Amino acid sequence: MLSAGVKAADWGAKVANASKVFKPSGPGPFPVALILHGCGGKTPFLETYAQVAVEAGWAAVVVDSFKPRGMSTLDGKLFVCTGTTLQGLKRSGDVFAMLAWLESQPWADSERVFLAGWSHGGWSIMDGYAIGVNAARATGIADADPLKLRARVKGVLLVYPYAAYPSLTSSRGWGSYGPKVFSVVGGKDQVVGWKYPKTALDRLQRDGLAVDTLFHADATHAFDDERANDPRAKYRPDLFSQTQGYFAKALGVARTL
């Protein structure tokens, strides 16, 4: 598990060692998309999104938040999905850590980063912005740097993000300085719903952030994961394809910022 007071670069190296990197051809440096999985752990469909990033000229890292903590997929389903452990606030430390790790990678343009999170991964990204100056105390990363987060991240994609209590965005916002936000919300999502994500996104808009939302009226939670084992999830390859295109669009916009 993550011990309190660990350095961002040290924890980032451990997380990166468990994660999977995808890169375009050539030496780089490339802008980098960090992809954060849901509460069930790293699953294959996220690698499809990583390939979308590569085709758009970005490197991508599918971040594994479980293995460095000695957690299995079953642990995730039993304890993370139920909110017993590793809530979004604590897991947001992985974002700060990976930003620090990218500084040591010659293929990475560490000044140009895109964050993409699915469900619990979206919650983690959102809390990373909401905690502000309390980042080090809240995450356990001794040198977590909220200014670096805001300066280097050019865009954020939140796909059916968990935004109910104890998620912080609806109550705290991110302040008026933040990245352009892209979001995907399902109208038939029985896991995180659509009202809580909308409330959080509305808060960001009121604070002055640019927010774009792709609303899939017929989408359930995990509509893009063919292997989702939640009986409430219905795989929709058509919506999966549309969301890949939306991700590519978001990366294109972020690359110009």
Side-chain angles (χ1 to χ4, degrees), residues 1-221:
M1 296 293 288
L2 172 61
S3 57
V6 67
K7 293 288 187 179
D10 293 338
W11 183 246
K14 291 183 179 180
V15 173
N17 188 54
S19 303
K20 190 169 183 178
V21 177
F22 299 78
K23 292 182 287 186
S25 59
F30 308 106
V32 184
L34 299 178
I35 294 175
L36 276 69
H37 60 72
C39 68
K42 188 159 63 76
T43 47
F45 82 101
L46 294 177
E47 296 190 5
T48 301
Y49 285 108
Q51 293 295 344
V52 170
V54 169
E55 291 173 8
W58 293 66
V61 184
V62 179
V63 178
D64 190 334
S65 291
F66 287 178
K67 189 174 180 180
R69 293 178 169 86
M71 299 175 65
S72 66
T73 299
L74 180 59
D75 290 330
K77 292 174 181 177
L78 292 176
F79 305 115
V80 182
C81 292
T82 58
T84 304
T85 190
L86 195 61
Q87 294 183 352
L89 180 60
K90 183 63 68 173
R91 188 183 170 201
S92 67
D94 289 5
V95 174
F96 294 99
M98 291 300 289
L99 289 176
W101 174 76
L102 289 174
E103 296 173 1
S104 67
Q105 304 305 303
W107 52 266
D109 182 352
S110 62
E111 300 288 337
R112 303 188 65 78
V113 179
F114 191 99
L115 301 178
W118 278 253
S119 193
H120 191 283
W123 174 16
S124 302
I125 291 169
M126 294 166 79
D127 272 16
Y129 282 98
I131 52 179
V133 296
N134 295 316
R137 182 178 63 187
T139 64
I141 302 292
D143 51 347
D145 188 345
L147 294 179
K148 186 181 295 184
L149 175 71
R150 295 177 185 273
R152 296 186 177 183
V153 175
K154 306 305 178 183
V156 165
L157 174 66
L158 307 169
V159 185
Y160 40 79
Y162 179 82
Y165 180 84
S167 174
L168 299 173
T169 292
S170 294
S171 60
R172 297 190 185 183
W174 298 358
S176 59
Y177 173 48
K180 183 171 177 61
V181 178
F182 298 85
S183 60
V184 180
V185 178
K188 294 183 178 179
D189 190 329
Q190 294 180 299
V191 178
V192 306
W194 63 268
K195 292 183 179 179
Y196 286 113
K198 183 179 184 301
T199 298
L201 296 167
D202 286 348
R203 169 61 191 263
L204 297 182
Q205 285 187 307
R206 289 198 305 272
D207 289 346
L209 273 66
V211 178
D212 185 89
T213 300
L214 175 61
F215 183 72
H216 291 313
D218 294 328
T220 66
H221 200 72

